[in-house]
Amino acid sequence: MSRKLMVGAVPVGGGAPIAIQSMTTTVTADTESTVRQIFRLAEAGCAIVRVSVRDEADARAISALKEKTPLPIVADIHFSAR
């Protein structure tokens, strides 16, 4: 059996129920569009959301997204994240 870990308040592994996750299709730095999409995903039953981080503007947007959305956010980093 795997070890349970927490993604925000969502347990993953270790016998926890399967958590539905999805990924946004918006530009992450466009926080208004991204927040709207995250709320739609939450309404559809999503428990964890992934966002693409292509540049530093996207990386800076993560903190604003965390404050405005109900789901834990996982960043898919697609650039050198010094």
Side-chain angles (χ1 to χ4, degrees):
M1 178 165 280
S2 62
R3 196 172 92 195
K4 184 178 357 182
L5 61 96
M6 301 298 290
V7 179
V10 181
V12 176
I18 294 172
I20 297 171
Q21 65 174 294
S22 189
M23 186 165 189
T24 60
T25 59
T26 57
V27 173
T28 302
D30 179 356
T31 56
E32 282 186 32
S33 295
T34 304
V35 166
R36 280 194 305 270
Q37 193 169 85
I38 291 171
F39 271 95
R40 287 194 307 270
L41 289 169
E43 289 169 5
C46 186
I48 299 169
V49 67
R50 293 172 36 225
V51 297
S52 179
V53 178
R54 297 177 200 118
D55 56 28
E56 294 201 26
D58 286 345
R60 284 191 297 274
I62 299 292
S63 61
L65 293 175
K66 286 175 53 177
E67 291 176 11
K68 297 178 181 180
T69 60
L71 301 179
I73 296 171
V74 175
D76 282 7
I77 300 174
H78 300 276
F79 77 104
S80 175
R82 302 179 224 133

